C-alpha cells in the first residue's frame, strides 16, 4: 500500500503553505493528519498511538543513527498493546516487559511503526521549524520542503526545534552540570562473579554509578548470557565538554563520542574505576574503556511551562527533560503518547484539534513538572552550582 504523505512548497516570504490540500474529495470528512517531528522513542510511540485513534501520521527523522550505548529503559506491562490497541502475543513479544536496552526498545517500536499502513517514516529529514495558521500546522525541513497536517507533534528531543514555536520565551534545555559515561558489554566477556541483584546504584567520591543487567541476544536473561550496562555520573568534565563543542554556554549540543574523548581522560577513568568500583562492574567498565566503547552524554534539564500552542504540541524530551537519574523519561514519554491519542480520540464533533491539545496539556503538564523537579533535586546535590 502506498503511504500517503502530503508535501508541498511554501511561500518563502511567510513560510506558509501556498495552498491546503483537500483530502476529502468533497464527500467525506478528511482523515486527520499528524506530522511527528523526531522518530525516536517518543516520536514512534506517539505515531503508534495516533494511528490507533485513526490519524494518518508522517514521522520526520533527521538521522538513521542509533546509539545511547548502555542506557536501560523500563518497559511497563502491556505498553505496546496499549499504544497500538492490538492485544496479541506477537505484539507482546516485540517489546517484553522489564528492563531493556535502549536500542532494543527503539528497534521494536520502529518495526511496528514501519509495518503500520497509517504511518510513514521519512528519514533523513531535518526539520528547521514548525508553524501553524487557523487551518493547519506544518513542519519546514531544512531543504525547504513543507509537510502539513492538522497537528504537529514535536518529539525531537531535548534540543527541540518545535519547542521554539511552542515556548519561544524559554526554548532551551539547560546543562545540569554533569555528564554520564555510558557503556555496554556482553556478560560472557566478564570473568568476575555476578552481582547478586539486577541493579546497583553506588556512590563513591563525587561519583554515582548505575549498573545493571540487560537481556542478551534473543531476550535471554540467563546468567552469563546477559549484557551489562553502566552509567557513571561525573560532574568533573565541564571543561572537556566545552572544549569539544558538546556544550556551548549552558546549552547541550551533543554527546561526546569515543573519538573525541582524550586518551588522558580514558586513563583517568580507568584509574578511578580500578580504585573505587567493585567487580563485576569494575571489570565491565575497564573492558569498555580498553575498547573505547564509551560515550559521554551531557545531562540537560527542561522544566515546561506549557506543552502546547494551538495545533502544535510537545511530547517526550521535547516537552520535559528530567535527569536520567529519575529513570522515568521513557515512561513519561509513553504517557504523553497515550494521553495525546486519548485527547484526540475524544474530540467532540465541532471542536477543533486545539481543544483536544488543551486536554492533553491539562492531563500531562503537572505530572511532567513534578518529574523534572524530582530530577533537579538530585542534580542540585550532585553538581551544586
Ligand atoms: C544518557 C541518558 C540515559 C537515560 N536513561 C534513562 C533511563 O534509565 N530510563 C528512562 O526512562 N529514561 C532514560 N533516559 C531518557 C529517555 O531515553 C528519554 O526520555 C526517552 O527516550 C524519550 O526520548 P525522546 O524520543 O523524546 O527524545 P530523543 O531520544 O532525544 O529523540 C529525539 C529524536 O528526534 C530527532 N530529531 C531531533 N531534532 C530533529 C529535527 N530538527 N528534525 C528531525 N528530527 C529531529 C533525533 O534525531 C531523535 O531521533 C535517558 C536519557 C539519556 C540522555
Amino acid at each position: 500500500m502506498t503511504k500517503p504523505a502530503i508535501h508541498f512548497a511554501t511561500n518563502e516570504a511567510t513560510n506558509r503553505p501556498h495552498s491546503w490540500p483537500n483530502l476529502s474529495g468533497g464527500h467525506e470528512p478528511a482523515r486527520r493528519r499528524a506530522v511527528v517531528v523526531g522518530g525516536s522513542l517518543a516520536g514512534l510511540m506517539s505515531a503508534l498511538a495516533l494511528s490507533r485513534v485513526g490519524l494518518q501520521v508522517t514521522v520526520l527523522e533527521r538521522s538513521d543513527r542509533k546509539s545511547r550505548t548502555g542506557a536501560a529503559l523500563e518497559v511497563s506491562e502491556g505498553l505496546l498493546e496499549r499504544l497500538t490497541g492490538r492485544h496479541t502475543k506477537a505484539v507482546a513479544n516485540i517489546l517484553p516487559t522489564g528492563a531493556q536496552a535502549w536500542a532494543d526498545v527503539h528497534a521494536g517500536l520502529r518495526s511496528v511503526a514501519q509495518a503500520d499502513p497509517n504511518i510513514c517514516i521519512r528519514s533523513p529529514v531535518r526539520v528547521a521549524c514548525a508553524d501553524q495558521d487557523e487551518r493547519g500546522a506544518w513542519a519546514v525541513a531544512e531543504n525547504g520542503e513543507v509537510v502539513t497536517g492538522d497537528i504537529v507533534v514535536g518529539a525531537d528531543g531535548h534540543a527541540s526545534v518545535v519547542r521554539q514555536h511552542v515556548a519561544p520565551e524559554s526554548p532551551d534545555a539547560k546543562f545540569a552540570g554533569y555528564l554520564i559515561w555510558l557503556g555496554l558489554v556482553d556478560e560472557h566477556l566478564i570473568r568476575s562473579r555476578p552481582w547478586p541483584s539486577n541493579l546497583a546504584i553506588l556512590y563513591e567520591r563525587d561519583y554515582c554509578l548505575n549498573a545493571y543487567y540487560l537481556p542478551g541476544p534473543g531476550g535471554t536473561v540467563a546468567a552469563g548470557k546477559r549484557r551489562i550496562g553502566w552509567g557513571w555520573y561525573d560532574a568533573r568534565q565541564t571543561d572537556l565538554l566545552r572544549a569539544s563543542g558538546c556544550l556551548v554556554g549552558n546549552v547541550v549540543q551533543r554527546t561526546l563520542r569515543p573519538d573525541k574523548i582524550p586518551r588522558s581522560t580514558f586513563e583517568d577513568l580507568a584509574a578511578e574505576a580500578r580504585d573505587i568500583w567493585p567487580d563485576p562492574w569494575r571489570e565491565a567498565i575497564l573492558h569498555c574503556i580498553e575498547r573505547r566503547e564509551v560515550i559521554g552524554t551531557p545531562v540537560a534539564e527542561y522544566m515546561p511551562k506549557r506543552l502546547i500552542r494551538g495545533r502544535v504540541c510537545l511530547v517526550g524530551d521535547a516537552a520535559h527533560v528530567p535527569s536520567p537519574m529519575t529513570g522515568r523519561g521513557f515512561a513519561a514519554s509513553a504517557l504523553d503518547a497515550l494521553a495525546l491519542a486519548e485527547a484526540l480520540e475524544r474530540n467532540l464533533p465541532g471542536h477543533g484539534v486545539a481543544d483536544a491539545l488543551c486536554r492533553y496539556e491539562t492531563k500531562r503538564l503537572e505530572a511532567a513538572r513534578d518529574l523534572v523537579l524530582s530530577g533537579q533535586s538530585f542534580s542540585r546535590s550532585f553538581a551544586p552550582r
Side-chain angles (χ1 to χ4, degrees):
M1 178 188 288
T2 310
K3 294 183 180 181
I6 312 301
H7 318 119
F8 53 101
T10 48
N11 176 332
E12 275 176 29
T14 63
N15 238 355
R16 284 168 190 265
H18 286 309
S19 61
W20 287 95
N22 176 6
L23 292 180
S24 67
H27 300 299
E28 293 169 20
R31 192 141 183 225
R32 287 179 301 176
R33 290 171 295 122
V35 180
V36 176
V37 181
S40 185
L41 305 184
L44 292 170
M45 290 192 288
S46 298
L48 290 168
L50 292 174
S51 164
R52 176 175 58 76
V53 298
L55 276 81
Q56 188 177 299
V57 186
T58 303
V59 178
L60 306 175
E61 169 55 48
R62 70 180 171 191
S63 110
D64 282 332
R65 194 168 66 184
K66 331 260 178 313
S67 83
R68 287 283 161 84
T69 313
L73 301 170
E74 188 68 27
V75 177
S76 62
E77 172 104 44
L79 174 61
L80 196 51
E81 291 93 319
R82 276 178 283 139
L83 290 167
T84 60
R86 284 167 22 215
H87 296 266
T88 64
K89 202 167 175 192
V91 169
N93 288 341
I94 293 172
L95 210 56
T97 306
Q100 305 292 336
W102 189 96
D104 293 346
V105 176
H106 183 269
L109 289 171
R110 189 162 166 124
S111 70
V112 181
Q114 275 174 327
D116 186 327
N118 295 327
I119 300 175
C120 170
I121 302 177
R122 299 189 52 217
S123 168
V125 178
R126 184 183 284 266
V127 170
C129 63
D131 209 340
Q132 61 185 306
D133 64 16
E134 62 288 349
R135 287 169 299 169
W138 58 92
V140 184
E142 280 191 346
N143 66 4
E145 184 186 7
V146 176
V147 186
T148 65
D150 296 285
I151 60 168
V152 167
V153 180
D156 48 344
H158 71 89
S160 168
V161 296
V162 181
R163 195 195 292 135
Q164 291 170 15
H165 177 75
V166 172
E169 74 292 347
S170 120
D172 295 323
K174 301 281 166 56
F175 179 52
Y178 53 98
L179 62 66
I180 312 180
W181 300 112
L182 289 161
L184 186 68
V185 57
D186 288 340
E187 189 185 10
H188 73 82
L189 297 170
I190 304 303
R191 282 160 305 166
S192 320
R193 284 185 24 200
W195 195 258
S197 58
N198 273 338
L199 169 70
I201 300 180
L202 308 172
Y203 290 86
E204 277 294 340
R205 299 188 181 152
D206 296 334
Y207 303 120
C208 172
L209 179 70
N210 290 359
Y212 32 80
Y213 290 103
L214 293 168
T220 177
V221 290
K225 297 186 174 168
R226 301 170 290 187
R227 284 172 290 177
I228 294 178
W230 54 271
W232 178 348
Y233 290 67
D234 181 351
R236 301 179 184 189
Q237 305 295 345
T238 304
D239 290 345
L240 172 58
L241 291 173
R242 289 200 189 291
S244 58
C246 293
L247 179 65
V248 174
N250 61 0
V251 179
V252 171
Q253 306 293 318
R254 58 178 174 272
T255 281
L256 192 58
R257 302 273 150 202
D259 58 327
K260 302 285 181 222
I261 302 174
R263 172 193 280 265
S264 58
T265 304
F266 276 123
E267 287 169 358
D268 290 348
L269 286 174
E272 293 281 68
R274 275 188 209 98
D275 264 10
I276 59 177
W277 302 127
D279 281 328
W281 316 126
R282 169 185 15 220
E283 198 187 337
I285 292 168
L286 291 172
H287 183 95
C288 293
I289 290 175
E290 270 161 31
R291 281 156 190 76
R292 302 296 191 252
E293 288 169 358
V294 177
I295 59 171
T297 300
V299 172
E301 291 178 315
Y302 184 77
M303 175 66 84
K305 290 200 180 96
R306 64 175 68 96
L307 304 178
I308 62 159
R309 176 175 167 195
R311 294 170 171 271
V312 181
C313 67
L314 302 172
V315 294
D317 286 5
H320 38 72
V321 191
S323 165
M325 194 61 189
T326 62
R328 300 273 308 152
F330 175 65
S333 305
L335 292 174
D336 292 346
L338 292 164
L340 180 60
E342 186 184 307
L344 283 156
E345 186 177 27
R346 292 197 181 165
N347 225 16
L348 299 170
H351 286 249
V353 290
D355 294 331
L357 297 195
C358 282
R359 283 199 298 282
Y360 161 66
E361 182 180 72
T362 304
K363 178 106 189 242
R364 290 295 302 142
L365 182 58
E366 271 322 297
R369 287 179 60 84
D370 288 348
L371 176 61
V372 177
L373 198 62
S374 73
Q376 283 179 340
S377 65
F378 166 80
S379 300
R380 300 295 170 266
S381 62
F382 186 73
R385 275 173 281 172

